[in-house]
Amino acid sequence: MISALKTNLSALTLGIFLVAAPAAAEPTADELQEAATFIRQLADDTIESLKRTEEGSITDPDRIEELLDRGFEVQRISRYVVGRHWKKASRDQRDEYSSLFRDFVIDVIIQRLELFTSEELEITGQYAAGKRDIFVASKVIRKQGNIDVDWRVRKFGKAYRIIDLKVAGVSMVITYREDFGAVIQSKGFEGLIQRLREKTIETKPLVLDLA
């Protein structure tokens, strides 16, 4: 009961956070299509870059980081997942946390996308999410069963960026907000930074069963 309440509150806070922007008209039909095309291209380019050599190393890791930096609004996500604790942190803490979070998120996204490299990603639709955002729905076609992957996209100027990712209904942003919050509650903001430094932060998986 308490866990469900926390999740609902996190979802509500996420909605407030994501719409905390100047009022705008809902996305047009052209913008909906552009967002879907953006996701299609980003996914194809990233999966192509994840191909490995015979020795098992990724052929072009710098290209992957470039694609994900361009595709995800990491700075906005990093601040949301620590909530009110961001304002309490020192400038040095914010700078180090932001850098560590970027590396953490890129590693996680690469791990998730690598699981899909031999599968087919199919865009199944796109629709407005409030006044500013667009959800691009997709699914990974797998013999073991399809997996829904939904991308929340926002247009910044002329560029589209991803501000959340849902895999099998599990939001990346809400998951990290809950997990990071638990660490801050017990260890403080510096404790979270230390976990990220050591790469020992424990988070719930975005995909519970990919077997």
Side-chain angles (χ1 to χ4, degrees), residues 14-78:
L14 171 62
I16 294 172
F17 170 82
L18 294 177
V19 299
E26 288 189 3
T28 65
D30 285 346
E31 287 173 329
L32 293 176
Q33 187 56 53
E34 289 170 359
T37 300
F38 159 70
I39 292 298
R40 172 80 275 167
Q41 190 64 56
L42 180 68
D44 288 348
D45 289 348
T46 304
I47 289 173
E48 178 67 23
S49 298
L50 283 169
K51 289 183 177 178
R52 293 182 176 270
T53 65
E54 292 182 0
E55 292 75 26
S57 59
I58 294 176
T59 55
D60 195 354
D62 291 339
R63 170 64 171 161
I64 294 172
E65 290 197 21
E66 176 194 337
L67 287 167
L68 296 182
D69 276 334
R70 191 180 73 205
F72 283 81
E73 186 65 17
V74 176
Q75 184 64 32
R76 181 178 293 267
I77 296 170
S78 71

Side-chain angles (χ1 to χ4, degrees), residues 164-182:
D164 194 15
L165 172 65
K166 283 186 177 182
V167 181
V170 180
S171 163
M172 177 181 72
V173 171
I174 291 177
T175 295
Y176 294 154
R177 183 179 176 90
E178 293 174 349
D179 293 340
F180 282 26

Side-chain angles (χ1 to χ4, degrees), residues 72-103:
F72 283 81
E73 186 65 17
V74 176
Q75 184 64 32
R76 181 178 293 267
I77 296 170
S78 71
R79 293 180 63 169
Y80 170 73
V81 298
V82 294
R84 68 184 185 280
H85 303 290
W86 175 263
K87 292 184 177 180
K88 299 177 183 178
S90 69
R91 181 183 297 273
D92 287 345
Q93 285 178 319
R94 291 179 183 180
D95 289 345
E96 183 173 9
Y97 163 74
S98 296
S99 176
L100 291 169
F101 182 83
R102 171 194 172 276
D103 293 342

Side-chain angles (χ1 to χ4, degrees), residues 109-126:
I109 293 170
I110 287 174
Q111 290 169 18
R112 298 300 179 262
L113 290 176
E114 278 196 291
L115 295 168
F116 305 152
T117 53
S118 61
E119 315 291 348
E120 178 186 353
L121 182 72
E122 177 184 323
I123 304 295
T124 58
Q126 55 275 341

